PDB file of all heavy atoms in Angstrom:
ATOM      1  N   HIS A 156      50.451  42.404  62.506  1.00 96.00           N
ATOM      2  CA  HIS A 156      49.082  42.169  62.049  1.00 96.00           C
ATOM      3  C   HIS A 156      49.083  40.942  61.140  1.00 96.00           C
ATOM      4  O   HIS A 156      49.917  40.822  60.238  1.00 96.00           O
ATOM      5  CB  HIS A 156      48.544  43.397  61.318  1.00 96.00           C
ATOM      6  CG  HIS A 156      48.151  44.501  62.242  1.00 96.00           C
ATOM      7  ND1 HIS A 156      49.013  45.518  62.592  1.00 96.00           N
ATOM      8  CD2 HIS A 156      46.995  44.737  62.908  1.00 96.00           C
ATOM      9  CE1 HIS A 156      48.396  46.341  63.438  1.00 96.00           C
ATOM     10  NE2 HIS A 156      47.178  45.886  63.641  1.00 96.00           N
ATOM     11  N   VAL A 157      48.142  40.042  61.394  1.00 96.00           N
ATOM     12  CA  VAL A 157      48.136  38.758  60.699  1.00 96.00           C
ATOM     13  C   VAL A 157      46.767  38.489  60.093  1.00 96.00           C
ATOM     14  O   VAL A 157      45.752  39.056  60.510  1.00 96.00           O
ATOM     15  CB  VAL A 157      48.520  37.610  61.658  1.00 96.00           C
ATOM     16  CG1 VAL A 157      49.887  37.846  62.270  1.00 96.00           C
ATOM     17  CG2 VAL A 157      47.468  37.425  62.748  1.00 96.00           C
ATOM     18  N   SER A 158      46.745  37.592  59.121  1.00 94.00           N
ATOM     19  CA  SER A 158      45.497  37.184  58.485  1.00 94.00           C
ATOM     20  C   SER A 158      44.745  36.230  59.408  1.00 94.00           C
ATOM     21  O   SER A 158      45.298  35.688  60.371  1.00 94.00           O
ATOM     22  CB  SER A 158      45.796  36.490  57.157  1.00 94.00           C
ATOM     23  OG  SER A 158      46.538  35.295  57.374  1.00 94.00           O
ATOM     24  N   ALA A 159      43.463  35.976  59.090  1.00 93.00           N
ATOM     25  CA  ALA A 159      42.667  35.035  59.873  1.00 93.00           C
ATOM     26  C   ALA A 159      43.268  33.635  59.819  1.00 93.00           C
ATOM     27  O   ALA A 159      43.260  32.903  60.821  1.00 93.00           O
ATOM     28  CB  ALA A 159      41.228  35.015  59.361  1.00 93.00           C
ATOM     29  N   ALA A 160      43.812  33.265  58.661  1.00 94.00           N
ATOM     30  CA  ALA A 160      44.429  31.942  58.521  1.00 94.00           C
ATOM     31  C   ALA A 160      45.625  31.806  59.446  1.00 94.00           C
ATOM     32  O   ALA A 160      45.836  30.755  60.071  1.00 94.00           O
ATOM     33  CB  ALA A 160      44.845  31.720  57.067  1.00 94.00           C
ATOM     34  N   VAL A 161      46.424  32.854  59.564  1.00 96.00           N
ATOM     35  CA  VAL A 161      47.587  32.825  60.446  1.00 96.00           C
ATOM     36  C   VAL A 161      47.143  32.746  61.902  1.00 96.00           C
ATOM     37  O   VAL A 161      47.698  31.976  62.703  1.00 96.00           O
ATOM     38  CB  VAL A 161      48.472  34.063  60.217  1.00 96.00           C
ATOM     39  CG1 VAL A 161      49.511  34.209  61.335  1.00 96.00           C
ATOM     40  CG2 VAL A 161      49.177  33.970  58.870  1.00 96.00           C
ATOM     41  N   MET A 162      46.128  33.525  62.270  1.00 95.00           N
ATOM     42  CA  MET A 162      45.647  33.510  63.654  1.00 95.00           C
ATOM     43  C   MET A 162      45.124  32.132  64.036  1.00 95.00           C
ATOM     44  O   MET A 162      45.361  31.651  65.141  1.00 95.00           O
ATOM     45  CB  MET A 162      44.567  34.573  63.839  1.00 95.00           C
ATOM     46  CG  MET A 162      44.189  34.813  65.286  1.00 95.00           C
ATOM     47  SD  MET A 162      45.532  35.490  66.300  1.00 95.00           S
ATOM     48  CE  MET A 162      45.400  37.239  65.931  1.00 95.00           C
ATOM     49  N   LYS A 163      44.422  31.457  63.117  1.00 94.00           N
ATOM     50  CA  LYS A 163      43.938  30.103  63.384  1.00 94.00           C
ATOM     51  C   LYS A 163      45.106  29.135  63.555  1.00 94.00           C
ATOM     52  O   LYS A 163      45.096  28.283  64.451  1.00 94.00           O
ATOM     53  CB  LYS A 163      43.049  29.628  62.228  1.00 94.00           C
ATOM     54  CG  LYS A 163      41.675  30.268  62.167  1.00 94.00           C
ATOM     55  CD  LYS A 163      40.865  29.693  61.018  1.00 94.00           C
ATOM     56  CE  LYS A 163      39.493  30.340  60.911  1.00 94.00           C
ATOM     57  NZ  LYS A 163      38.710  29.790  59.789  1.00 94.00           N
ATOM     58  N   LYS A 164      46.096  29.269  62.704  1.00 95.00           N
ATOM     59  CA  LYS A 164      47.251  28.371  62.753  1.00 95.00           C
ATOM     60  C   LYS A 164      48.007  28.533  64.067  1.00 95.00           C
ATOM     61  O   LYS A 164      48.382  27.541  64.715  1.00 95.00           O
ATOM     62  CB  LYS A 164      48.180  28.667  61.572  1.00 95.00           C
ATOM     63  CG  LYS A 164      49.381  27.745  61.458  1.00 95.00           C
ATOM     64  CD  LYS A 164      48.987  26.382  60.933  1.00 95.00           C
ATOM     65  CE  LYS A 164      50.200  25.526  60.635  1.00 95.00           C
ATOM     66  NZ  LYS A 164      49.818  24.186  60.133  1.00 95.00           N
ATOM     67  N   VAL A 165      48.248  29.759  64.467  1.00 96.00           N
ATOM     68  CA  VAL A 165      49.041  30.016  65.666  1.00 96.00           C
ATOM     69  C   VAL A 165      48.268  29.631  66.927  1.00 96.00           C
ATOM     70  O   VAL A 165      48.812  29.019  67.844  1.00 96.00           O
ATOM     71  CB  VAL A 165      49.469  31.494  65.735  1.00 96.00           C
ATOM     72  CG1 VAL A 165      50.139  31.814  67.074  1.00 96.00           C
ATOM     73  CG2 VAL A 165      50.420  31.824  64.591  1.00 96.00           C
ATOM     74  N   SER A 166      46.970  29.975  66.974  1.00 94.00           N
ATOM     75  CA  SER A 166      46.175  29.717  68.172  1.00 94.00           C
ATOM     76  C   SER A 166      45.747  28.265  68.302  1.00 94.00           C
ATOM     77  O   SER A 166      45.455  27.788  69.400  1.00 94.00           O
ATOM     78  CB  SER A 166      44.939  30.614  68.186  1.00 94.00           C
ATOM     79  OG  SER A 166      44.034  30.246  67.146  1.00 94.00           O
ATOM     80  N   GLY A 167      45.670  27.558  67.162  1.00 91.00           N
ATOM     81  CA  GLY A 167      45.186  26.184  67.181  1.00 91.00           C
ATOM     82  C   GLY A 167      43.683  26.084  67.294  1.00 91.00           C
ATOM     83  O   GLY A 167      43.147  25.005  67.571  1.00 91.00           O
ATOM     84  N   MET A 168      42.981  27.183  67.095  1.00 89.00           N
ATOM     85  CA  MET A 168      41.523  27.214  67.221  1.00 89.00           C
ATOM     86  C   MET A 168      40.860  27.260  65.851  1.00 89.00           C
ATOM     87  O   MET A 168      41.403  27.842  64.907  1.00 89.00           O
ATOM     88  CB  MET A 168      41.094  28.428  68.045  1.00 89.00           C
ATOM     89  CG  MET A 168      41.646  28.430  69.461  1.00 89.00           C
ATOM     90  SD  MET A 168      41.121  29.899  70.368  1.00 89.00           S
ATOM     91  CE  MET A 168      41.942  29.611  71.945  1.00 89.00           C
ATOM     92  N   GLN A 169      39.672  26.645  65.766  1.00 84.00           N
ATOM     93  CA  GLN A 169      38.941  26.647  64.507  1.00 84.00           C
ATOM     94  C   GLN A 169      38.333  28.011  64.209  1.00 84.00           C
ATOM     95  O   GLN A 169      38.212  28.415  63.058  1.00 84.00           O
ATOM     96  CB  GLN A 169      37.830  25.583  64.558  1.00 84.00           C
ATOM     97  CG  GLN A 169      38.353  24.158  64.601  1.00 84.00           C
ATOM     98  CD  GLN A 169      39.174  23.810  63.372  1.00 84.00           C
ATOM     99  OE1 GLN A 169      38.823  24.136  62.249  1.00 84.00           O
ATOM    100  NE2 GLN A 169      40.316  23.157  63.605  1.00 84.00           N
ATOM    101  N   SER A 170      37.945  28.721  65.255  1.00 84.00           N
ATOM    102  CA  SER A 170      37.381  30.057  65.098  1.00 84.00           C
ATOM    103  C   SER A 170      38.246  31.053  65.844  1.00 84.00           C
ATOM    104  O   SER A 170      38.725  30.777  66.948  1.00 84.00           O
ATOM    105  CB  SER A 170      35.953  30.097  65.651  1.00 84.00           C
ATOM    106  OG  SER A 170      35.461  31.427  65.658  1.00 84.00           O
ATOM    107  N   VAL A 171      38.442  32.214  65.227  1.00 83.00           N
ATOM    108  CA  VAL A 171      39.275  33.240  65.861  1.00 83.00           C
ATOM    109  C   VAL A 171      38.423  34.416  66.340  1.00 83.00           C
ATOM    110  O   VAL A 171      38.952  35.483  66.650  1.00 83.00           O
ATOM    111  CB  VAL A 171      40.369  33.743  64.890  1.00 83.00           C
ATOM    112  CG1 VAL A 171      41.343  32.627  64.570  1.00 83.00           C
ATOM    113  CG2 VAL A 171      39.748  34.300  63.608  1.00 83.00           C
ATOM    114  N   ASP A 172      37.113  34.206  66.422  1.00 81.00           N
ATOM    115  CA  ASP A 172      36.223  35.288  66.839  1.00 81.00           C
ATOM    116  C   ASP A 172      36.560  35.808  68.236  1.00 81.00           C
ATOM    117  O   ASP A 172      36.429  36.998  68.512  1.00 81.00           O
ATOM    118  CB  ASP A 172      34.765  34.814  66.810  1.00 81.00           C
ATOM    119  CG  ASP A 172      34.277  34.543  65.398  1.00 81.00           C
ATOM    120  OD1 ASP A 172      34.918  35.059  64.453  1.00 81.00           O
ATOM    121  OD2 ASP A 172      33.286  33.817  65.237  1.00 81.00           O
ATOM    122  N   SER A 173      36.987  34.897  69.135  1.00 79.00           N
ATOM    123  CA  SER A 173      37.290  35.299  70.505  1.00 79.00           C
ATOM    124  C   SER A 173      38.790  35.423  70.770  1.00 79.00           C
ATOM    125  O   SER A 173      39.205  35.606  71.909  1.00 79.00           O
ATOM    126  CB  SER A 173      36.687  34.288  71.493  1.00 79.00           C
ATOM    127  OG  SER A 173      37.220  33.000  71.266  1.00 79.00           O
ATOM    128  N   THR A 174      39.590  35.299  69.717  1.00 85.00           N
ATOM    129  CA  THR A 174      41.042  35.411  69.884  1.00 85.00           C
ATOM    130  C   THR A 174      41.476  36.808  69.459  1.00 85.00           C
ATOM    131  O   THR A 174      41.807  37.054  68.298  1.00 85.00           O
ATOM    132  CB  THR A 174      41.775  34.341  69.036  1.00 85.00           C
ATOM    133  OG1 THR A 174      41.235  33.060  69.332  1.00 85.00           O
ATOM    134  CG2 THR A 174      43.260  34.345  69.335  1.00 85.00           C
ATOM    135  N   GLU A 175      41.446  37.731  70.411  1.00 84.00           N
ATOM    136  CA  GLU A 175      41.748  39.118  70.083  1.00 84.00           C
ATOM    137  C   GLU A 175      43.225  39.358  69.827  1.00 84.00           C
ATOM    138  O   GLU A 175      43.598  40.209  69.025  1.00 84.00           O
ATOM    139  CB  GLU A 175      41.288  40.038  71.216  1.00 84.00           C
ATOM    140  CG  GLU A 175      39.822  39.929  71.586  1.00 84.00           C
ATOM    141  CD  GLU A 175      39.590  38.952  72.722  1.00 84.00           C
ATOM    142  OE1 GLU A 175      40.442  38.067  72.937  1.00 84.00           O
ATOM    143  OE2 GLU A 175      38.540  39.070  73.375  1.00 84.00           O
ATOM    144  N   ALA A 176      44.081  38.584  70.532  1.00 93.00           N
ATOM    145  CA  ALA A 176      45.517  38.843  70.438  1.00 93.00           C
ATOM    146  C   ALA A 176      46.298  37.608  70.864  1.00 93.00           C
ATOM    147  O   ALA A 176      45.796  36.748  71.589  1.00 93.00           O
ATOM    148  CB  ALA A 176      45.887  40.032  71.322  1.00 93.00           C
ATOM    149  N   ILE A 177      47.531  37.529  70.392  1.00 95.00           N
ATOM    150  CA  ILE A 177      48.484  36.499  70.800  1.00 95.00           C
ATOM    151  C   ILE A 177      49.807  37.194  71.063  1.00 95.00           C
ATOM    152  O   ILE A 177      50.194  38.112  70.341  1.00 95.00           O
ATOM    153  CB  ILE A 177      48.646  35.415  69.717  1.00 95.00           C
ATOM    154  CG1 ILE A 177      47.333  34.639  69.531  1.00 95.00           C
ATOM    155  CG2 ILE A 177      49.778  34.457  70.060  1.00 95.00           C
ATOM    156  CD1 ILE A 177      47.375  33.613  68.408  1.00 95.00           C
ATOM    157  N   ALA A 178      50.507  36.769  72.107  1.00 95.00           N
ATOM    158  CA  ALA A 178      51.794  37.379  72.438  1.00 95.00           C
ATOM    159  C   ALA A 178      52.873  36.310  72.539  1.00 95.00           C
ATOM    160  O   ALA A 178      52.631  35.208  73.036  1.00 95.00           O
ATOM    161  CB  ALA A 178      51.707  38.156  73.743  1.00 95.00           C
ATOM    162  N   VAL A 179      54.062  36.650  72.054  1.00 96.00           N
ATOM    163  CA  VAL A 179      55.264  35.837  72.254  1.00 96.00           C
ATOM    164  C   VAL A 179      56.108  36.574  73.280  1.00 96.00           C
ATOM    165  O   VAL A 179      56.422  37.756  73.098  1.00 96.00           O
ATOM    166  CB  VAL A 179      56.051  35.655  70.947  1.00 96.00           C
ATOM    167  CG1 VAL A 179      57.334  34.869  71.205  1.00 96.00           C
ATOM    168  CG2 VAL A 179      55.200  34.964  69.895  1.00 96.00           C
TER     169      VAL A 179
END
Side-chain angles (χ1 to χ4, degrees):
H156 284 93
V157 302
S158 63
V161 167
M162 191 64 83
K163 287 182 181 180
K164 184 75 172 179
V165 172
S166 68
M168 299 179 181
Q169 293 299 317
S170 173
V171 295
D172 293 341
S173 60
T174 307
E175 304 94 337
I177 295 176
V179 177

